[in-house]
Amino acid sequence: MKLVILLRKRGLLGALLIANILMATRIGLSRSVHPLLKRTPFRRRFFSSPKSNHFPKSHFCPLWSSSFSLCLHKSAITTSSSSSSSSSSLSFSCSSSSLSPPSMAAAAAVADDALFHSNPLLQDFDFPPFDAVEASHVRPGIRELLKKLEDDLVELERTVEPNWPKLVEPLEKIVDRLSVLWGIVNHLKSVKDSSDLRSAIEEVQPEKVKFQLRLGQSKPIYNAFKAIRESPEWDTLSDARKRIVESSIKEAVLLGVSLEDDKKEIFNKIQQELERLSQKFEENVLDATKKFEKLITDKKEIEGLPATALGMAAQTAISKGHENATAENGPWTITLDAPSFLSVMQHARNRSLREEIYRAYVTRASSGDLDNTSIIDEILKLRLEKANILNYNNYAEVSMATKMANVEKAEELLEKLRSASWDAAVQDMEDLKDFSKKQGASEADDLNHWDISFWSERLRESKYDINEEELRPYFSLPKVMDGLFNLAKTLFGIEVKPADGLAPVWNKDVRFYCVKDSSANPVAYFYFDPYTRPSEKRGGAWMDEVVSRSRVLSRNGTSARLPVAHMVCNQTPPVGNKPSLMTFREVETVFHEFGHALQHMLTKQDEGLVAGIRGIEWDAVELPSQFMENWCYHRDTLMSIAKHYETGETLPEDVYLKLLAARTFRAGSLSLRQIRFASVDLELHTRYIPGGSESIYDVDRKICERTQVLAPLPEDRFLCGFSHIFAGGYAAGYYSYKWAEVLSADAFSAFEDAGLDDSKAVKETGQRFRETILALGGGKEPLEVFVEFRGREPSPEPLLRHNGLLQVATA
C-alpha cells in the first residue's frame, strides 16, 4: 500500500476553491493484481528540501538480501559472482555465444549480451541506481527479470509445501524482486517522465501484469495457504503470519483463483485493460497540466501576486525561452502546476485572470486527445464487470473486502460528518459575501468559484491578521526539516542524519537521509525530492516504499534488511538566492508525508509481507500521516521551525496564537469538499450504471447538491483529473481520508490527555505510539493496534473538536 494526489483536507488556509480542486494525499497504483505487488504511493500536496550538490554514481551491492549495514560504504561494484552466493540475491547469468561462423544473429546476441551486462536494472545493488537507469534499460531489464521470476515460480509450485520455509519465504523473494525493480521504473516515470520511458513501460506492462496474475492465481500456492490455515499448527502462528495467510487466501480469490477457465480469461483481460487505462489516465492529467501556460507581459494583469510567485513565474518564463524575464519586469508564465495555480487563485486581483485559470484547471484532461471522459466510463464499466465475475454486486464491495469499513459504515460516517459540516459551510459563504461587500467588491452578490479562494484569503487576513505570504520567511525548508527531525527524536527516540552521496539520486535537488536509533544504529533510509518540476514530474506529494524491512531478505541471516522509502513533493523551489520559503500548507505537507515514511521505516515487523505500510487496511493508512499534521499547531514544535531565514527571529507569539485560532477557519467548507470527493467515489462504484442514462457528471452534480454550498460550474470536469480513484489506489476508498482522520485525531488526543506541555508524558506517549501504530505494520488488525495504543476504540469527538464542529454536531 501507499499514497497519491493533490492535497489537504482541512487546516489553516481555507481557500474553498483549493478545497474544491486539490485532493489530499494519494497512494499510487490501482488495486490491480497481487496485493503484495501493488505500488500505490501515499500522496498529497507540495513542498521542498535543501539542495544537494551530490549526484553520485551507483555502486552495486545485493539489495535483495541486504540489511544495508554491511555494504553501505563500499565503493567497489559488487560482482555478480560474489553476490550470487547469497541465497536471496537476484542474480543472472548469461552464457557466451559462439561467433563462429559469424552471422547477424550471433552479432545481435553479442549486442544483447553486452546490453544485459550494462543494464543497471539487472545488477545487484545496494541502493537503486536511479541515476543510471534509462528508458532503453526497461524493456530488456523487465523481460529478463520476468523470465527469471517465472522460473522461480515454476520451481516454487513444484516444491511447495504448506509451511513457511517452503511457501512464504520463496514467495516473498519473488514478490520483492518484482516490487523493487518495477518500483524503480514506475518511480522514475513519476519524477522524470519522458516519452521514451512511457513507451518502454507501456510495452512491458502487459507482460508484468500477466506474470502478476499468474502468480496471484497460482492454485498450488493458494492450496498451500489453505492447508496452513487448516493445519494443527495454525493456532501456534503469530498474528503477523496468520494475517499473511488469511490475506493471501482472500486476495487470491479476489484475483480470480477460483474462476473457471473461460471466466478467468475474461477476468485477466479486464485486469490488463484496467492497468493500461489507469496509466493513460494519469498521463493525460500530466500532459494536460503541462500543456497550459499563459504568458503575461503587463504587470497590471498580475497585481496582488506576492514576490515569491512573481519570481517563480519569471523563472518559468526563462525556462520557456524568455531569457531576460525578471520578477520585477516580467514577462511571467502562469501554469496549472500547483504553486503557480494557487498563487493566482489566492492573490491575483485580476478577476478575469482568476476565472481563466480556474476554468482551465477544472477542465483539465476533458477535451481533445487528452479527454479522460471515455477512459473513466470504460474503467467503471470494467470494474463493475470484474465485480460481477467475482459474484459481487458492485466494485465497492470488492474494494471493501480488504478494508476496515464496509459500504454502509463508510456512508454512515460520511453522512454524520456532512450533517456536522453543512451549517458551518453555509455560514462560511455568508461570511464571505458580507466581507467582500464591505470591501466594495463588484462581485459580492455573485461570488463564483474563482472568487472563493481570493476572498477567503482576504477574510482570513482581516480576521486573524495573518498574511500567508508574509509568513514564508519564517518557514525556510532547512529550518522546517530540522524541526521535524527534532520532533521525531523527541517522540520516537530516533536521529535523522543527512547521508547525501551514499545513494544515487534522480535529480540534484534530491536529499538522502539515514534514520538511526538511540544507539546510533541505522534502522532505515529515505530519499526526499522536494521541488516542483512541471516538465517531468507528476503533481501532488506522495510517499512510497523502495524496499521494506524483511527477515527473509537479510544478507547476514541475523539482522533484517532495513527499509528504504522516498518522499516526493511539489513545493515552491528556491527563488534567486533565497532558500525555499514555504507556505504553512507546505509545512503541513512535509509533516504529512513524513508520517507515512515513519510507519514504513520504524516498523519492527520482520515478516516482509506485512512490514511497514504493507498489509495495512487501506482506510487506516492515513492515520500516521494525518497524526503528524497536528504537530504543526503544537507551540514548541512550531516555534522550533518558525525562524526568519535572514534574522533568525522566532515567529512572534501573537502570530502563533492567530495561526492556532485560524486552524478552524472555513472548516465546514473544507470538510464538505472531502465528503464530496468520497461520496462521488462511492456512488460511482455502487449505484452508478456505466452506459446508462446518467453520466458521471450527473452523479457529481447530484452529490454536490448535498455537499457543496456553491454548485459546481456546468462545465466542471474535476473527475477527469481525479487520479486518486482512476489512476491510484483509492477506488471506492476515498472515504479513507475521513475514516483515518477520525483515527488520527483521536490518536493525537492521547497526547493532549497526557499533557502537551509535559515533556516526560509526551515522550512516553510517543514511545507507545511508536511501539504500536508505527511498529506493528500490517501484522495486526488496525483496530486492535489502535486499541492497544489508545486503550479504547476510536471516537469522532476529537476530530470534530479540532475542526471546531463539535458544538454543531452535538446540536
Side-chain angles (χ1 to χ4, degrees):
M1 269 217 220
K2 300 154 203 172
L3 313 174
V4 175
I5 219 173
L6 280 176
L7 75 314
R8 47 179 289 107
K9 311 143 284 293
R10 59 170 169 83
L12 178 73
L13 311 171
L16 176 58
L17 150 68
I18 299 169
N20 262 341
I21 322 183
L22 304 172
M23 308 170 232
T25 338
R26 181 169 69 143
I27 299 185
L29 291 188
S30 58
R31 157 187 285 285
S32 55
V33 277
H34 197 283
L36 306 172
L37 296 174
K38 292 178 296 189
R39 297 199 65 85
T40 312
F42 302 108
R43 170 178 168 188
R44 181 179 151 114
R45 322 168 231 200
F46 357 91
F47 79 94
S48 56
S49 165
K51 285 191 174 183
S52 167
N53 293 323
H54 297 286
F55 201 12
K57 285 296 178 181
S58 311
H59 73 274
F60 298 110
C61 276
L63 166 70
W64 316 105
S65 60
S66 83
S67 66
F68 287 103
S69 60
L70 295 183
C71 86
L72 291 180
H73 302 289
K74 290 183 179 179
S75 58
I77 296 178
T78 304
T79 63
S80 59
S81 61
S82 63
S83 63
S84 64
S85 61
S86 171
S87 61
S88 56
S89 292
L90 174 60
S91 56
F92 301 95
S93 60
C94 295
S95 56
S96 300
S97 299
S98 172
L99 292 178
S100 178
S103 67
M104 291 181 64
V110 171
D112 288 345
D113 191 59
L115 180 62
F116 174 84
H117 285 295
S118 65
N119 192 326
L121 287 173
L122 301 179
Q123 310 300 315
D124 287 330
F125 49 77
D126 191 353
F127 297 107
F130 287 119
D131 61 326
V133 175
E134 303 289 346
S136 60
H137 299 133
V138 173
R139 293 178 181 87
I142 295 300
R143 283 172 173 152
E144 189 64 34
L145 170 72
L146 292 174
K147 280 197 292 183
K148 167 73 171 124
L149 296 186
E150 177 66 28
D151 291 342
D152 290 347
L153 178 55
V154 169
E155 179 64 14
L156 171 58
E157 291 178 322
R158 186 183 68 81
T159 61
V160 68
E161 296 177 16
N163 59 61
W164 226 252
K166 289 289 191 176
L167 170 60
V168 184
E169 292 183 5
L171 176 62
E172 181 181 340
K173 292 173 184 177
I174 293 173
V175 167
D176 192 82
R177 292 169 186 176
L178 181 54
S179 176
V180 171
L181 279 200
W182 187 256
I184 292 172
V185 299
N186 197 57
H187 173 69
L188 287 174
K189 181 174 180 289
S190 296
V191 297
K192 203 174 179 180
D193 184 54
S194 70
S195 57
D196 288 344
L197 185 57
R198 284 187 185 186
S199 298
I201 291 175
E202 182 178 356
E203 187 174 321
V204 295
Q205 183 170 270
E207 299 166 43
K208 186 264 300 185
V209 175
K210 181 179 179 181
F211 175 78
Q212 289 176 305
L213 288 167
R214 160 93 168 83
L215 177 63
Q217 295 170 353
S218 169
K219 281 287 183 64
I221 293 176
Y222 173 64
N223 291 333
F225 273 119
K226 287 202 300 181
I228 289 179
R229 190 174 61 179
E230 295 163 5
S231 71
E233 289 75 32
W234 173 251
D235 291 336
T236 67
L237 295 183
S238 66
D239 289 341
R241 291 191 170 190
K242 285 181 178 178
R243 289 263 292 173
I244 289 172
V245 172
E246 290 174 337
S247 64
S248 297
I249 293 172
K250 181 183 292 185
E251 290 282 1
V253 173
L254 293 175
L255 285 173
V257 71
S258 302
L259 296 176
E260 298 298 327
D261 289 344
D262 56 340
K263 286 188 174 182
K264 186 176 292 186
E265 183 178 354
I266 295 172
F267 181 92
N268 289 351
K269 288 180 179 178
I270 290 173
Q271 289 292 99
Q272 287 279 10
E273 185 63 5
L274 283 173
E275 193 94 353
R276 185 189 71 81
L277 290 170
S278 291
Q279 179 174 310
K280 182 61 177 174
F281 183 99
E282 186 73 26
E283 289 173 356
N284 284 351
V285 174
L286 177 62
D287 290 345
T289 302
K290 289 195 297 185
K291 185 177 181 180
F292 179 91
E293 57 184 61
K294 181 176 179 64
L295 182 68
I296 297 177
T297 57
D298 185 351
K299 195 166 188 176
K300 290 182 180 180
E301 291 189 40
I302 52 173
E303 285 185 351
L305 260 65
T308 303
L310 292 174
M312 183 170 57
Q315 283 188 349
T316 303
I318 291 172
S319 71
K320 303 292 183 180
H322 303 276
E323 297 178 358
N324 298 320
T326 65
E328 294 76 22
N329 301 314
W332 305 270
T333 298
I334 303 299
T335 70
L336 298 183
D337 195 46
S340 176
F341 168 75
L342 291 175
S343 292
V344 171
M345 301 316 301
Q346 286 185 308
H347 300 292
R349 294 174 191 158
N350 184 343
R351 192 183 188 216
S352 62
L353 175 64
R354 297 199 308 264
E355 178 179 357
E356 179 183 356
I357 301 303
Y358 178 86
R359 289 183 181 276
Y361 195 96
V362 298
T363 56
R364 284 182 309 159
S366 66
S367 62
D369 294 340
L370 302 177
D371 191 350
N372 272 337
T373 304
S374 60
I375 292 178
I376 293 173
D377 287 334
E378 188 64 18
I379 286 174
L380 293 172
K381 175 186 174 183
L382 291 174
R383 285 175 178 169
L384 178 59
E385 188 176 351
K386 170 182 170 179
N388 293 157
I389 289 175
L390 294 173
N391 294 318
Y392 286 94
N393 294 314
N394 53 61
Y395 185 77
E397 292 182 358
V398 177
S399 173
M400 300 288 189
T402 54
K403 292 181 172 63
M404 292 179 69
N406 55 36
V407 175
E408 182 180 1
K409 288 181 179 178
E411 291 183 332
E412 180 183 352
L413 173 65
L414 292 176
E415 177 54 28
K416 284 182 179 178
L417 296 177
R418 189 201 69 80
S419 61
S421 305
W422 181 262
D423 288 347
V426 171
Q427 187 60 51
D428 288 342
M429 182 59 74
E430 291 303 314
D431 292 345
L432 217 55
K433 289 179 180 177
D434 291 344
F435 176 76
S436 58
K437 186 174 293 185
K438 290 177 182 177
Q439 303 305 306
S442 59
E443 65 265 27
D445 292 325
D446 185 31
L447 291 181
N448 217 314
H449 293 278
W450 44 87
D451 303 314
I452 301 303
S453 181
F454 178 81
W455 286 110
S456 292
E457 190 62 16
R458 306 290 81 75
L459 174 57
R460 191 179 65 82
E461 291 170 356
S462 172
K463 189 172 184 178
Y464 302 104
D465 192 24
I466 294 176
N467 182 298
E468 182 183 62
E469 288 302 315
E470 292 177 359
L471 291 180
R472 278 187 188 266
Y474 287 96
F475 296 116
S476 66
L477 183 63
K479 285 292 184 185
V480 170
M481 299 309 290
D482 286 345
L484 176 58
F485 296 158
N486 285 333
L487 174 65
K489 181 178 181 180
T490 298
L491 295 179
F492 311 125
I494 59 173
E495 294 267 7
V496 180
K497 297 294 185 181
D500 297 307
L502 182 61
V505 295
W506 52 92
N507 182 278
K508 64 182 177 58
D509 291 329
V510 175
R511 299 295 308 275
F512 191 67
Y513 294 94
C514 175
V515 180
K516 299 184 177 183
D517 62 19
S518 56
S519 300
N521 296 314
V523 296
Y525 299 87
F526 70 97
Y527 303 83
F528 179 37
D529 183 355
Y531 309 129
T532 179
R533 296 191 298 276
S535 64
E536 64 177 11
K537 187 176 178 184
R538 189 177 66 195
W542 64 94
M543 171 269 162
D544 202 351
E545 70 172 48
V546 180
V547 299
S548 68
R549 182 180 174 90
S550 173
R551 170 190 56 83
V552 169
L553 294 172
S554 166
R555 177 186 298 122
N556 57 21
T558 55
S559 59
R561 181 184 67 179
L562 300 185
V564 183
H566 54 64
M567 293 166 51
V568 183
C569 296
N570 274 278
Q571 79 172 60
T572 308
V575 175
N577 295 323
K578 297 178 181 179
S580 174
L581 301 179
M582 304 168 68
T583 65
F584 191 78
R585 181 190 316 280
E586 290 172 340
V587 174
E588 286 183 297
T589 299
V590 176
F591 276 63
H592 180 104
E593 299 305 335
F594 192 60
H596 284 306
L598 285 171
Q599 189 171 39
H600 177 66
M601 296 188 297
L602 298 189
T603 186
K604 292 187 177 179
Q605 178 58 255
D606 287 343
E607 295 291 346
L609 299 183
V610 288
I613 56 178
R614 288 187 175 188
I616 298 175
E617 278 75 353
W618 201 269
D619 36 13
V621 297
E622 294 290 342
L623 194 171
S625 56
Q626 293 175 153
F627 162 81
M628 287 298 293
E629 289 184 52
N630 288 281
W631 293 100
C632 296
Y633 297 91
H634 177 234
R635 185 189 180 282
D636 290 349
T637 301
L638 187 65
M639 292 306 193
S640 73
I641 65 177
K643 308 283 187 182
H644 197 284
Y645 81 100
E646 289 179 317
T647 67
E649 174 193 1
T650 301
L651 187 75
E653 180 72 20
D654 64 321
V655 177
Y656 162 68
L657 294 175
K658 291 170 184 175
L659 278 173
L660 198 62
R663 183 178 186 181
T664 59
F665 180 64
R666 298 182 62 78
S669 300
L670 295 172
S671 176
L672 284 185
R673 155 196 166 257
Q674 285 295 95
I675 293 167
R676 170 197 178 183
F677 298 151
S679 299
V680 170
D681 172 35
L682 285 179
E683 183 72 17
L684 289 175
H685 289 104
T686 52
R687 289 168 284 275
Y688 174 68
I689 301 174
S693 59
E694 190 178 43
S695 74
I696 56 174
Y697 306 118
D698 293 333
V699 171
D700 183 32
R701 283 189 286 271
K702 179 176 66 177
I703 295 297
C704 285
E705 291 175 4
R706 299 185 299 107
T707 62
Q708 298 295 286
V709 176
L710 181 62
L713 297 177
E715 62 268 36
D716 187 310
R717 295 294 183 265
F718 102 90
L719 284 170
C720 287
F722 199 1
S723 297
H724 274 81
I725 68 171
F726 297 119
Y730 282 95
Y734 197 87
Y735 76 91
S736 299
Y737 282 105
K738 301 309 289 186
W739 187 275
E741 201 172 357
V742 169
L743 301 176
S744 62
D746 199 359
F748 186 75
S749 74
F751 291 82
E752 295 174 321
D753 293 348
L756 290 173
D757 295 327
D758 185 337
S759 59
K760 183 173 182 290
V762 166
K763 288 182 179 180
E764 290 175 349
T765 309
Q767 188 61 28
R768 194 167 74 249
F769 187 90
R770 177 181 177 177
E771 295 299 322
T772 53
I773 306 296
L774 300 181
L776 297 177
K780 201 168 188 176
E781 294 281 350
L783 183 58
E784 292 180 25
V785 174
F786 184 90
V787 171
E788 189 172 330
F789 165 68
R790 196 68 178 92
R792 59 165 173 75
E793 293 196 358
S795 164
E797 183 271 339
L799 173 60
L800 294 172
R801 173 165 52 81
H802 290 167
N803 288 345
L805 301 173
L806 186 58
Q807 290 182 338
V808 178
T810 303

